[in-house]
Amino acid sequence: MGNFQQDIRKTLIKYALAPIFVLAVLLAVFAWWSWQHDVVQRSEEAGSVAAEVLDRLLLDYGQRIEYVANNGDFANIQDNAEHRRALYEWLYHEVNIAHDDTRFFLVDRDGRILLSNHTELPVYLQSMPMSWGIWQRMAAGRDRIIAEFSPRTSHRNSDLLLGRAALRDGEIEGYWLFVISGNYLANAISSPYMDFAMTNSFGYAQVATSPDLQAGEFQALPEAFAGKNRQTADFNRRDFYVTSQRIGESDFYLYSAMPVSDLKARYEMAAAVLLGMLSIMLPVLLYLARQESKARAKAVEELNTIFEMRQLEAQFHPHFIFNTLENIKFMIRLNPAAAVKMVVNLSSILRYGINNLVQEVTLAEEWKYTRAYLEIMQYRFGKRLHCEFDLQVDMDRVKIPKLIFQPILENAIKYGEAEDGSISVRLGVYEMEGELIISVANGGAPIPPEQMKALQLLLQGRDNPTVHTGIYNVHRRLRLMYGEKYGVAVHSGEQGGTLVELKLPLSMRQRPAEREGDDMRC
């Protein structure tokens, strides 16, 4: 025994500590890879895409301003109705391509609107003197396109103004101006993974997808983010990964802020767990070495027993077999012919169930087994049980997983008793949008909300910690066979009744010879 325990101690040191060390290295590598892939790469890709969207928007509207400035004859706009109409139609078409609520204006030097898709200038421009603000900068720039944000208003996101002076014979006669909604800009760069802020040359966050990126009365970019690129920032007790880049050739910058507090917390928790494991492993190993020799044989025996029990439970529900045999015992005295029929049906069910070589069968084959099962249940419940079937598919061609009906029907019958003692069950099989839908409904009491919530959580998980295996096993089996988009859904209304729907891909085999149909009622 001593040598055995010493061998176990050496084995534990070799095969426990070494894998933990390797695991620590792998976790560190995985954490680095995860950070690079999920944070750094995603932030840079999303920021580049958002900056490209904004740069393209600036370029597109810049080209439109160049076009109207070069092709719009100021005198003809005022005096030639046909030229005015053609230019208006072109502008109206251009600004409605993106459906971004852009407004365009041509105003004279006194601020009067000569051409526009809106009845009046924005409020912040109506009171602005023509010698001030964007008007003054367009006059000073003359041949240049001026891009700036509107003065701060009650809206969180400022409008983007793009304009240029309208010249005739080298003299300024008016101004072309496009007004692009700040909310449209925010929506155009929004992302479910991070927030963005578009800042001007003074560092004010004129457009932001989150109010967290606008601070103070003038909504400047918070100091925690300002000037940072590819760095982490601590803001309001949360950690962010910040990137920044210039938007094209403009004076605007785009900042992205990805929340990483949860990810860092997971890294720290994993490191703490690993260190904890390492700190207690050595003393635990000595104790395990003394206990392993006794526990190993017992554990192996228990595992074999559990495995054998699980195998027997997976083949067929023992309660069903027991109840059926009990009914047969009474039927032998009361109705021998019915007892014989139940024995025959039970025999066919067991023979059908123990054949583990077949994963999928035709609906006709499964239906034959299901009819045998329902006949047994009919003998058990008598006239209380009423079944209806609506099979709207080719039973000889449609393929389904073997033994898919029985667990669902068993639950429907077990919990389908109405207040008058009757049990009504309806089975439907039909095709919908290229998929096969199997529905089983009963008319019993509704499932309580708490129990329904627990059942939905069970179906969403990958493990089944409960003793209720029927519906979960069917759901898990469908997902393993066909993928995560398929499985079981359970619905129960306040008025009573429960509906269980199975969704699986529509699988067909070659058409066999014609056969006679089955009775659709029991």
Side-chain angles (χ1 to χ4, degrees), residues 363-364 367 371 388-395 405 426-431 437-439 515 518-520:
L363 181 57
W367 181 247
R371 293 291 297 181
E388 292 186 6
F389 311 103
D390 183 16
L391 311 182
Q392 301 180 19
V393 296
D394 191 333
M395 298 178 63
F405 286 146
R426 188 178 187 276
L427 170 66
V429 182
Y430 55 92
E431 176 187 353
I437 305 298
I438 300 172
S439 65
R515 67 176 187 87
D518 286 302
D519 181 18
M520 294 292 104

Side-chain angles (χ1 to χ4, degrees), residues 313-326:
E313 291 174 358
Q315 291 177 3
F316 204 79
H317 202 301
H319 295 297
F320 166 72
I321 299 176
F322 175 78
N323 291 334
T324 302
L325 292 176
E326 284 292 316

Side-chain angles (χ1 to χ4, degrees), residues 121 147 237-238 242 348 370 499:
L121 289 170
R237 298 183 179 179
R238 297 176 62 196
V242 182
S348 66
T370 303
L499 173 65

Side-chain angles (χ1 to χ4, degrees), residues 77-110:
I77 292 173
Q78 293 178 303
D79 304 328
N80 189 322
E82 181 62 25
H83 180 73
R84 178 187 181 90
R85 181 188 64 79
L87 189 60
Y88 179 86
E89 288 181 353
W90 186 88
L91 282 168
Y92 188 83
H93 172 266
E94 288 297 308
V95 301
N96 280 279
I97 290 177
H99 300 285
D100 54 7
D101 296 327
T102 296
R103 290 165 285 176
F104 64 84
F105 300 91
L106 172 61
V107 300
D108 61 18
R109 287 179 297 180
D110 296 324

Side-chain angles (χ1 to χ4, degrees), residues 5 24 58 78 98 134 148 156 187 196 242 252 292 313 363 404 409 422 437 448 459 468 477:
Q5 291 181 348
L58 291 172
Q78 293 178 303
I134 191 171
E148 63 181 54
R156 182 166 59 84
N187 292 333
F196 293 100
V242 182
F252 305 133
E292 185 67 18
E313 291 174 358
L363 181 57
I404 204 73
L409 288 170
S422 63
I437 305 298
L459 294 178
H468 306 291
R477 185 179 173 195

